[in-house]
Amino acid sequence: MKHPSIHLTGVMLTFLFALFSISESTAATDGNADSLYIASHYNKQEVMITMRDGVKLFTQIYAPKDASEKYPILLKRTPYSCQPYGNDGFRKDLGPDSLFIREKYIFVYQDVRGRFMSEGTYVNMRPQIDQKKKKTDIDESSDTWDTIDWLVQNVSNNNGKVGMYGISYPGFYTAVGSIDSHPALKAVSPQAPIADWFWDDFHHHGAFFLPHAFGFFSFFGKPRPQPTKVWPARFDYGTPDGYHFYLDKLGALSQVNPKFYHDSIAFWNEMAAHPNYDTFWQSRNLLPHLKNIRCAVLTVGGLFDAEDLYGSFKIYGQIEKDNPGISNRVVIGPWRHGGWVRDDGTHLGNVAFGDSLPASRYYQEQIEFPFFQYHLKGKGNSDLAEATVFETGTNKWRKFDSWPPKGIVQKKLYLHPGHRMNFTADASQTSDSFISDPAHPVPFTETIYTGMTREYMTDDQRFASKRSDVLTYQTDILDEDVTLAGPILAHLLVSTSQSDADWVVKLIDVYPDDAPDNAYMQDRLHMGGYQQMVRSEVIRGRFRNSYSVPEPFQPDQPAEVKLPLMDVMHTFRKGHRIMVQIQSTWFPLVDRNPQKYVPNIFEATENDFVPATHKLYMGTESGTFLEVGVLRNP
C-alpha cells in the first residue's frame, strides 16, 4: 500500500516497493543534482526524542548549513524507515517534492513508535484516545505533539513554525498529528491518507482486497522484536501469475496460515478474527477524532488511487465539518496512489491526461509549494481554491468553492433489457440473470500479476464485457457532453439462488470506434472502442443492511443493495457512450465469496464454495439504477 521505487511493469507489487522507497521525486527531477546539493548544503543529525511515557523515537534532522536566517521545520513521520541511517548517509530527496530543497527548510524524518530504529510497540492504525486520563497515555497525536515540542525547543535556527506531510500511511500520521494541534504546527498536508482500514486499502464495503492485503502484510506485518535498520525479506510467490497463485496455490483464505504465513503475521490473524465492522475496526476509524485542528490543511488524493481514495475524500469532508473557520483545502488529480510525486501526471496506463502542463508539475508549482511557503514562511498568498479537482475526459483543472461542487443536478441512470441504459424508467419490471462460479471468477484485469496493479482503475474493460457472468448496459451515443461530479450511489435490486453474494458495479466511458490512439498505448491496443473504467466499487452482500451485523440473503427473494461509489469528476464526451457493468466476482482483486453463507469467510473451506444464479431486476422506479450528479460544464 505505500511508497518507494516503482517497478515499471505497473504491478502493484510495485506498491510493495512503493512502501519504502527513499525517493518520492518526479521522474523529471534531476536526482543527482539534488543529491549533490543536499550533501553540500545540509547538515544531518540523528537524535532520539523522548515521548511522555519514556519511549524514545528515532529522528533525523537535515538543517541548512546557511545560518543567516531562521527556517521552518517540515516533519514526516513514517512506518517505512528513515533510511539511510548514519550521519554519513544522506537522502537523495528532501521534503514533499524537489522544489523545497533549494528553498531551504529544516527537514525532519521520524520512525514512528515500534518501527525500525524507534523504541516501543507498533500498533497498526493505533486507536486515538480523545480524553487522556494519565500523563503517560499516548497515541499518534500525542507522539506528534511531543516531537514538535522537542524540535522547536532544541533545533537551532528554526522560526517556530512546523509543517507536516506524508503519503498513504504517513498521510494518516499527518492527519492524526493535526488533532489538538501543537501551537507551532501551522500547516499539514495529508496525502492519500488512510482514514479507516475497513474501507481504505483492505476492505471495500466488507469485501476483502486479497492481493493488496496479502502482499503488504507478508513483509510489513512481520514482527520487529528489536530496533533494526533492515527491511524484512519480501514474499516469494513462485509465479508471476496472480490468478493462478490465489486460486490454485492458495485457495480459500483459511489456507493462508497453513500454507504460507504459519501464524507469523499478527495483524492478519486480527483481520481474520474480525470480518465484520466491530469495535476492533471502529476504534481504528480516524474520522470521528479529527477535531481541535488549528492549522491549515491541504488534503491531496488521486482520482485513480487504488488504495486510499476513501481517505482523501472522507478526511477532507470530516475536517470541514468539525473544524469551522480553519483553512481547509482539497486537491484531487488524475493520479494513482502517490502519483503527484511519482509520475508526471500525463497518463495512467493507456489513458492520457494531456501533456501541455503535466498535472503533477501544476500541483507542485501552483498548489503544494505555495501552500507551505505561505503558512510557514509568509511568502506569497493563501488564495488556493477550496477544491481543485481534475476533470478527466476533458483533461482540465476545475476550481470550486465547495466539494461536492454546488450546482449538481441529481439524476438517475436506469438499466433496461437489451443491455440499454438511459435517464428514464420503464413502466414494467424485468430482470437479467447470470451464473457466478467461484471456481471460475471474473478477472479484474486481462493480465493478472500477483499484486494489485496501479492501472486497473483506468483499464480497458472489453475483456469483461465479453463474459457471460458480467452484465453490461450502455447508453446510446451521446449527442452532447455529460459531466458527472461528486458521489455516485448504485441502487441494486437483486436476488441469488444461494445465501450470499458480492456485487461489483463499474462505471465505464466507451470511446467511439474512430478514437485516436495516444503515445502511451500498450502494444496492439487501440483507443477505438476502448472501455475506460471511470469508477468501480464492490460490496459484500451480507453487509447490505449493516456492516456490523451481517445477514444472509433469502434464496431467490429480491433484496435492495445500496452501494456508494467514490466521488467522480469526469466528462463523457459527445460521441462516447456511458456504460455500466455489474458482476459478482472480481478476482483476485477481491477474495472469492463462497456464495453459501458462512459466519466468517476467513474460515471457509473449499467445500463451502458453490455456484449460484444471480438476478438483477430493472425497469421501474424501484428497479436498479445509479444516482449520479450531473454538472453543467462552463
Side-chain angles (χ1 to χ4, degrees):
M1 55 174 301
K2 318 296 164 178
H3 319 336
S5 57
I6 300 302
H7 193 269
L8 296 180
T9 62
V11 189
M12 199 43 97
L13 178 65
T14 62
F15 85 88
L16 299 178
F17 299 113
L19 292 172
F20 50 89
S21 152
I22 298 173
S23 174
E24 290 180 341
S25 34
T26 63
T29 299
D30 187 344
N32 290 332
D34 286 345
S35 297
L36 292 173
Y37 187 91
I38 292 167
S40 61
H41 289 81
Y42 286 86
N43 292 316
K44 181 183 178 183
Q45 180 186 11
E46 295 185 337
V47 298
M48 299 295 287
I49 300 178
T50 303
M51 301 293 103
R52 63 191 62 183
D53 63 346
V55 169
K56 296 178 180 179
L57 304 188
F58 180 89
T59 309
Q60 292 177 340
I61 303 166
Y62 291 80
K65 292 181 178 180
D66 179 3
S68 63
E69 60 180 290
K70 294 184 181 297
Y71 302 100
I73 295 169
L74 267 175
L75 169 65
K76 179 179 178 180
R77 305 186 67 239
T78 178
Y80 299 131
S81 172
C82 289
Q83 60 182 318
Y85 296 98
N87 288 328
D88 295 332
F90 278 71
R91 293 177 59 92
K92 297 179 181 179
D93 64 342
L94 289 174
D97 64 63
S98 61
L99 295 174
F100 291 81
I101 296 173
R102 286 161 180 79
E103 176 63 22
K104 295 181 182 176
Y105 284 74
I106 298 170
F107 299 99
V108 178
Y109 297 86
Q110 183 177 76
D111 288 335
V112 297
R113 180 182 293 256
R115 295 294 292 175
F116 290 93
M117 292 300 291
S118 284
E119 298 176 353
T121 301
Y122 185 70
V123 176
N124 273 295
M125 293 293 289
R126 188 185 300 274
Q128 184 71 12
I129 304 173
D130 286 338
Q131 302 295 328
K132 298 176 177 64
K133 297 179 180 179
K134 299 182 296 183
K135 290 183 178 180
T136 55
D137 284 345
I138 62 93
D139 52 26
E140 299 302 341
S141 66
S142 72
D143 279 358
T144 305
W145 174 287
D146 294 347
T147 297
I148 292 174
D149 204 57
W150 188 94
L151 291 171
V152 294
Q153 293 185 49
N154 292 277
V155 176
S156 61
N157 233 36
N158 79 81
N159 70 357
K161 295 181 179 181
V162 178
M164 288 187 69
Y165 69 98
I167 299 173
S168 199
Y169 223 147
F172 158 76
Y173 290 107
T174 301
V176 75
S178 70
I179 298 171
D180 299 324
S181 308
H182 189 285
L185 186 61
K186 302 301 181 183
V188 299
S189 184
Q191 302 179 4
I194 307 168
D196 184 332
W197 260 0
F198 203 75
W199 277 270
D200 280 307
D201 287 299
F202 307 127
H203 295 87
H204 286 223
H205 301 279
F208 186 59
F209 272 41
L210 173 57
H212 190 36
F214 183 92
F216 180 63
F217 286 109
S218 68
F219 73 95
F220 186 83
K222 290 183 177 178
R224 189 224 65 165
Q226 299 293 331
T228 181
K229 301 176 182 178
V230 180
W231 272 94
R234 299 185 200 100
F235 182 79
D236 181 5
Y237 292 86
T239 175
D241 186 336
Y243 196 96
H244 167 60
F245 174 82
Y246 289 107
L247 187 63
D248 302 323
K249 298 186 74 173
L250 172 60
L253 291 183
S254 59
Q255 296 304 300
V256 167
N257 273 319
K259 291 184 177 180
F260 300 112
Y261 280 3
H262 308 297
D263 284 319
S264 64
I265 309 298
F267 197 77
W268 179 274
N269 293 340
E270 290 179 305
M271 287 194 299
H274 299 276
N276 309 325
Y277 194 57
D278 57 14
T279 54
F280 174 82
W281 295 109
Q282 293 166 16
S283 69
R284 285 165 170 76
N285 178 5
L286 177 61
L287 298 176
H289 308 286
L290 290 169
K291 300 174 181 178
N292 301 319
I293 296 175
R294 296 179 288 271
C295 56
V297 183
L298 178 67
T299 302
V300 183
L303 284 166
F304 306 111
D305 185 341
E307 301 175 42
D308 297 312
L309 182 58
Y310 176 92
S312 298
F313 281 116
K314 295 300 182 181
I315 283 179
Y316 160 75
Q318 196 71 41
I319 290 176
E320 186 74 6
K321 175 185 175 184
D322 290 340
N323 300 271
I326 71 166
S327 172
N328 183 39
R329 306 286 188 263
V330 63
V331 181
I332 306 292
W335 300 302
R336 65 180 177 95
H337 190 63
W340 45 97
V341 291
R342 299 180 188 142
D343 301 322
D344 60 12
T346 56
H347 72 287
L348 180 59
N350 302 303
V351 178
F353 303 123
D355 299 307
S356 57
L357 179 58
S360 297
R361 197 176 82 198
Y362 172 85
Y363 157 74
Q364 292 170 12
E365 294 178 354
Q366 304 298 320
I367 300 174
E368 182 180 53
F369 187 64
F371 171 77
F372 282 113
Q373 284 285 89
Y374 175 78
H375 291 289
L376 300 183
K377 288 195 170 187
K379 294 183 177 181
N381 56 57
S382 61
D383 60 355
L384 295 179
E386 175 77 12
T388 306
V389 184
F390 193 87
E391 181 178 298
T392 52
T394 57
N395 294 336
K396 61 185 180 184
W397 287 99
R398 299 286 299 272
K399 295 182 179 180
F400 303 102
D401 56 11
S402 67
W403 186 265
K406 298 174 183 176
I408 289 177
V409 177
Q410 294 297 321
K411 293 188 176 183
K412 295 178 180 178
L413 266 173
Y414 292 93
L415 310 188
H416 299 294
H419 310 290
R420 297 179 299 111
M421 182 172 66
N422 56 42
F423 288 101
T424 305
D426 283 350
S428 59
Q429 187 179 82
T430 57
S431 65
D432 284 336
S433 63
F434 64 94
I435 297 174
S436 174
D437 186 355
H440 303 282
V442 180
F444 78 103
T445 62
E446 284 192 277
T447 305
I448 307 296
Y449 298 100
T450 52
M452 178 173 66
T453 60
R454 65 193 186 199
E455 304 92 351
Y456 92 84
M457 294 182 76
T458 62
D459 272 349
D460 187 1
Q461 298 301 304
R462 281 177 285 193
F463 77 94
S465 62
K466 294 179 175 69
R467 288 186 57 123
S468 61
D469 48 0
V470 177
L471 300 178
T472 300
Y473 306 87
Q474 63 181 347
T475 65
D476 293 335
I477 295 174
L478 299 175
D479 56 14
E480 62 179 0
D481 288 358
V482 176
T483 300
L484 302 187
I488 297 172
L489 181 61
H491 295 254
L492 308 178
L493 188 61
V494 297
S495 65
T496 175
S497 62
Q498 289 291 335
S499 49
D500 201 3
D502 292 348
W503 297 97
V504 179
V505 175
K506 299 184 292 189
L507 178 69
I508 296 164
D509 187 340
V510 182
Y511 287 60
D513 290 337
D514 60 355
D517 291 341
N518 61 59
Y520 309 108
M521 303 298 300
Q522 296 178 23
D523 290 343
R524 298 181 297 280
L525 188 65
H526 299 282
M527 291 307 292
Y530 193 90
Q531 296 177 5
Q532 177 198 337
M533 193 156 71
V534 172
R535 188 56 79 231
S536 56
E537 195 51 278
V538 57
I539 185 171
R540 186 132 284 170
R542 62 178 59 203
F543 297 116
R544 64 194 180 280
N545 295 320
S546 169
Y547 293 105
S548 300
V549 184
E551 58 184 284
F553 288 92
Q554 295 301 313
D556 299 317
Q557 294 298 309
E560 184 180 41
V561 176
K562 293 183 179 180
L563 172 57
L565 280 67
M566 289 309 304
D567 294 23
V568 68
M569 185 76 228
H570 182 80
T571 292
F572 297 82
R573 303 305 302 268
K574 178 181 177 180
H576 291 225
R577 298 176 188 260
I578 305 173
M579 175 183 283
V580 167
Q581 291 181 0
I582 296 177
Q583 59 201 63
S584 191
T585 53
W586 210 17
F587 189 77
L589 183 68
V590 175
D591 73 305
R592 295 174 300 149
N593 190 323
Q595 303 190 138
K596 180 178 73 174
Y597 185 89
V598 295
N600 186 344
I601 291 178
F602 283 91
E603 299 174 359
T605 67
E606 290 297 337
N607 292 332
D608 293 318
F609 290 80
V610 295
T613 299
H614 299 328
K615 188 173 289 187
L616 181 78
Y617 301 88
M618 68 195 83
T620 65
E621 289 277 357
S622 61
T624 297
F625 63 87
L626 269 66
E627 185 175 348
V628 299
V630 178
L631 181 68
R632 182 176 298 278
N633 242 316

